[in-house]
Amino acid sequence: MKSGRYIGVMSGTSLDGIDVVLAAIDEHLVVQLASYSHPIPLDIKNAVLAICQGQQLTLSQLGQLDNRLGKLFAQAVQILMDRQSLTREDVTAIGCHGQTVWHEPHGEAAHTLQIGDNNQIVALTGVTVVGDFRRRDMALGGQGAPLVPAFHHALLAHPTERRMVLNIGGIANLSLLIPGHAVKGYDTGPGNMLMDAWIWRQKGKPYDKDARWAASGKIILPLLQQMLSDPYFAAPAPKSTGREYFNFGWLERQLTAFPGLAGEDVQATLAELTAVTISEQVLLSGGCERLMVCGGGSRNPLLMARLAALLPGTEVGTTDDAGISGDDMEALAFAWLACRTMSGLPGNLPSVTGASEASVLGAIFPANPLHNQS
Ligand SMILES: Nc1ncnc2c1ncn2[C@@H]1O[C@H](COP(=O)(O)OP(=O)(O)OP(=O)(O)O)[C@@H](O)[C@H]1O
Ligand SMILES: CC(=O)N[C@H]1[C@@H]2OC[C@@H](O2)[C@@H](O)[C@@H]1O[C@H](C)C(=O)O
């Protein structure tokens, strides 16, 4: 393994910020050294949201967004490097996930697109970048997602305890770390995404802090039942999804049969949808002794309480309890995946994504050895 200091960059489906993490990685250890969250300007957030909901745009507009996101990722990395007084020689590589703008894992021409020009990051920081992690897996017949289960397994698997790791981001994904079994993992469906979309439309707030609004409402059971009948929830793994499917349009269609509901009741029902779809999958997958939650949803007390209530006999906690900040897990995973690629090691798990083989992932954008030499 090419050990060293790596930086991971993640801009997820929630568009709440760009997470950047510095980690020391070797064969046995991943040590988180520092992290930083960089804001995303509102016009960029709105442009990505519009694309994910199917809005048409010109190639020029797409190219400009790719350029601006690349510069934004570069700026975020540079701030972390400056704060840590790191020079380019101190960092082996940067693993940058990019911004997913479309994910379509089915059909004759399945595809997934993460943008944010990695060349911009190399040009500004002088550090080698690894990017485009998902498309090799897709070329091998896989879903291209989720990719974090391999990292969850490397970091959090236990020899005897049945564990599952749950990321509640915009989309929620579950990793099954069951001793004696191949690692499995898939997206369970919406995490915070629908709750975020609803409170944004109703109140102009980016998210329901500490679920205060949801907690003031009551669950509308017929609406919940109807939402639960969406075929995604019963579909077998491998499966992955995104904003192209579970978006505000999806929610509006669900609400047409229920006019005039109080906003807080819809919010309470959406929180319950997230908790129920996750807990059903945990139980259907045979249950676990410990559920370790990360992602922004692990900061939502209502979601955490509902998960604990729906999963009696399971120890429900956060990955922070195991020493890994739930806010940094995904960025850390892309630092680790970059290290795998730089070391010529596979990053995907066919048992998770359905790919025909394990493969080295991504593309390497090498640092310029002539940088700053004249
Ligand atoms: N205190 C809190 N109370 C309620 N919700 C919270 C809180 N803190 C964070 N969140 C939720 O977490 C979201 C951000 O989660 P996260 O950063 O894990 O998403 P992401 O990484 O962009 O998504 P994905 O994992 O799908 O790519 C916020 O948009 C919000 O909904
Ligand atoms: C296509 C895409 O960007 N998928 C994300 C998204 O966010 C959560 C969930 O949906 C997961 O499948 C994936 O991200 C994590 C990092 C993964 O690949 O494991």
Side-chain angles (χ1 to χ4, degrees):
M1 196 127 175
K2 194 170 164 55
S3 56
R5 269 181 282 197
Y6 286 82
I7 288 177
V9 187
M10 180 70 195
S11 180
T13 53
S14 297
L15 293 155
D16 59 326
I18 298 162
D19 298 327
V20 190
V21 169
L22 173 72
I25 303 180
D26 69 20
E27 220 166 304
H28 308 289
L29 275 178
V30 176
V31 182
Q32 192 180 339
L33 301 173
S35 63
Y36 166 65
S37 182
H38 193 68
I40 303 178
L42 195 59
D43 63 323
I44 292 191
K45 177 173 171 169
N46 285 338
V48 174
L49 286 177
I51 302 174
C52 295
Q53 304 220 43
Q55 194 190 73
Q56 302 292 307
L57 75 171
T58 63
L59 285 178
S60 166
Q61 288 167 324
L62 180 62
Q64 287 188 31
L65 194 57
D66 185 48
N67 173 296
R68 289 188 64 199
L69 275 166
K71 284 179 181 152
L72 200 62
F73 295 149
Q75 211 184 347
V77 169
Q78 194 59 56
I79 290 174
L80 181 73
M81 286 177 66
D82 289 348
R83 286 188 179 178
Q84 297 301 309
S85 307
L86 295 172
T87 66
R88 65 197 198 96
E89 287 81 17
D90 297 324
V91 182
T92 307
I94 296 164
C96 183
H97 171 266
Q99 180 63 54
T100 296
V101 288
W102 200 258
H103 183 66
E104 195 174 314
H106 299 291
E108 282 292 295
H111 55 279
T112 185
L113 183 60
Q114 286 73 46
I115 64 169
D117 185 3
N118 290 305
N119 295 286
Q120 296 283 352
I121 310 176
V122 185
L124 182 73
T125 62
V127 178
T128 294
V129 173
V130 187
D132 195 6
F133 286 94
R134 300 191 187 279
R135 296 198 298 167
R136 178 73 62 86
D137 182 84
M138 257 196 182
L140 292 165
Q143 295 268 317
L147 294 176
V148 293
F151 179 62
H152 290 159
H153 178 256
L155 215 65
L156 295 168
H158 190 272
T160 55
E161 191 175 61
R162 292 173 64 90
R163 291 183 169 181
M164 295 189 191
V165 183
L166 169 68
N167 166 56
I168 313 180
I171 294 292
N173 53 288
L174 190 64
S175 301
L176 319 184
L177 312 178
I178 308 301
H181 289 76
V183 179
K184 299 258 193 252
Y186 50 89
D187 292 351
T188 58
N192 305 297
M193 189 174 281
L194 298 173
M195 290 185 279
D196 285 357
W198 184 242
I199 199 167
W200 179 249
R201 297 290 175 124
Q202 294 289 306
K203 290 177 164 279
K205 293 184 180 169
Y207 71 101
D208 186 8
K209 189 161 170 42
D210 301 333
R212 281 192 213 120
W213 195 39
S216 71
K218 57 181 188 306
I219 297 162
I220 310 291
L221 276 177
L223 173 61
L224 179 64
Q225 301 279 301
Q226 181 195 285
M227 292 195 291
L228 286 170
S229 70
D230 186 285
Y232 183 82
F233 300 121
K239 61 177 178 175
S240 58
T241 188
R243 234 178 223 295
E244 320 66 36
Y245 190 80
F246 289 110
N247 53 31
F248 190 69
W250 184 91
L251 177 56
E252 276 184 318
R253 289 193 294 283
Q254 300 294 326
L255 291 174
T256 47
F258 300 89
L261 290 179
E264 62 272 23
D265 293 350
V266 173
Q267 191 74 348
T269 308
L270 290 173
E272 188 69 3
L273 175 71
T274 294
V276 168
T277 49
I278 291 167
S279 58
E280 276 184 354
Q281 290 304 321
V282 170
L283 295 172
L284 272 172
S285 302
C288 61
E289 290 161 77
R290 187 178 300 279
L291 181 68
M292 308 168 91
V293 189
C294 57
S298 68
R299 313 297 177 217
N300 180 323
L302 178 64
L303 279 184
M304 292 299 284
R306 289 302 296 143
L307 285 172
L310 291 162
L311 294 167
T314 299
E315 194 68 45
V316 178
T318 64
T319 57
D320 300 61
D321 303 338
I324 301 141
S325 161
D327 300 325
D328 297 335
M329 180 69 88
E330 286 189 332
L332 207 53
F334 283 93
W336 182 80
L337 283 167
C339 177
R340 301 282 298 176
T341 301
M342 295 298 287
S343 312
L345 294 168
N348 64 334
L349 291 175
S351 59
V352 171
T353 63
S356 57
E357 64 185 32
S359 175
V360 178
L361 299 181
I364 299 176
F365 296 75
N368 183 4
L370 308 176
H371 188 71
N372 289 344
Q373 283 179 16
S374 52

